[in-house]
Amino acid sequence: LSNVALEKIRHIEHLMDKAFRTYTLGICYSASEGAKGMTAALDVTCAKAAEVVRQGRNILILSDRRINADMVAVPALLATAAVHHHLIREGLRTAVGLVVETGEARKVHDFCLLIGYGAEAINPYLAFDTVSALGNQASEPLSEEELHARYVKAVGKGILKVMSKMGISTFQSYCGAQIFDAVGLSSKFIEKYFTKTQTVIEGIGLDEIGEETVHRHS
């Protein structure tokens, strides 16, 4: 590349750095802490999210990529809703965009819930890896780029169908609207992490969700 071209690239990168001040916040915690560790992990995540927004970051990425044999991931929907509502209570939500990078999102339902609780963008990295692996077995040869594009298109159409059934015409109106009813979750749990969500049938709380998450992890 010529010096002029390199200079233009550096200028664009500089502008992007100024426009997109991102911060990746892990939502995993040590498996040795067990189910009880989820409460502390959520508290730390919410506090850190508010801190980095006050520091001027305008895109916050919640990521569970660090999950492994030694690290448990807080359920992506729970982490998203917790951070979303914490930032609202702190008066910071409109200052930051919320991106979720998770291996949990696969079906249209998963995406709709994450968006409904504040996710403005989602990176379903495990779904992409799965699509790539399945594409190698397909009778029709397709590039990885085309496979991913078809998956994104299918999910996008599914989200639009859900929105249209609810009478919502724009993504902005759906994002964070949390137009759902909770079934089988305790009111105390809902009020703290899924604030203002309607719930009629009581049920489990964070302790039980922590136990189930750790059990699945092991």
Side-chain angles (χ1 to χ4, degrees):
L1 292 174
S2 67
N3 290 335
V4 174
L6 287 171
E7 188 60 34
K8 286 183 178 179
I9 291 172
R10 293 191 189 100
H11 180 63
I12 292 172
E13 289 176 343
H14 176 68
L15 292 176
M16 289 183 69
D17 286 341
K18 290 181 65 178
F20 303 109
R21 300 181 297 278
T22 64
Y23 185 90
T24 300
L25 183 57
I27 57 174
C28 298
Y29 67 97
S30 175
S32 63
E33 297 177 23
K36 297 296 183 182
M38 189 171 291
T39 301
L42 281 168
D43 290 342
V44 169
T45 298
C46 290
K48 186 63 177 180
E51 178 186 337
V52 298
V53 175
R54 290 192 177 99
Q55 291 173 351
R57 306 298 182 111
N58 60 6
I59 296 179
L60 183 62
I61 303 171
L62 301 179
S63 176
D64 62 15
R65 273 191 182 270
R66 289 183 61 206
I67 188 171
N68 55 38
D70 301 317
M71 300 291 287
V72 178
V74 175
L77 180 61
L78 174 56
T80 301
V83 169
H84 173 69
H85 283 292
H86 181 72
L87 293 176
I88 289 174
R89 287 190 286 268
E90 294 293 313
L92 299 169
R93 184 62 184 89
T94 56
V96 66
L98 198 56
V99 178
V100 181
E101 182 180 56
T102 178
E104 291 186 22
R106 299 180 298 276
K107 306 182 295 294
V108 170
H109 178 75
D110 302 329
F111 290 92
C112 287
L113 282 172
L114 286 169
I115 296 167
Y117 282 99
E120 285 141 324
I122 302 165
N123 173 19
Y125 63 87
L126 185 57
F128 283 136
D129 289 347
T130 303
V131 168
S132 297
L134 292 174
N136 295 330
Q137 306 169 18
S139 56
E140 179 186 0
L142 293 170
S143 67
E144 186 173 59
E145 183 179 357
E146 176 62 22
L147 289 167
H148 290 184
R150 291 189 180 191
Y151 174 73
V152 171
K153 184 176 182 179
V155 171
K157 284 188 173 182
I159 294 170
L160 287 173
K161 186 174 182 179
V162 171
M163 287 170 52
S164 65
K165 284 185 175 181
M166 295 180 175
I168 297 174
S169 58
T170 66
F171 180 88
Q172 288 83 354
S173 298
Y174 185 83
C175 184
Q178 58 185 63
I179 44 179
F180 313 103
D181 288 339
V183 178
L185 297 175
S186 72
S187 298
K188 183 178 179 181
F189 172 76
I190 288 291
E191 185 55 32
K192 183 169 183 179
Y193 299 111
F194 297 90
T195 312
K196 303 301 182 182
T197 297
Q198 296 297 312
T199 179
V200 177
I201 302 175
E202 291 289 316
I204 64 175
L206 188 59
D207 290 343
E208 292 83 358
I209 291 173
E211 291 285 356
E212 182 181 337
T213 301
V214 170
H215 177 71
R216 285 191 288 114
H217 179 268
S218 59

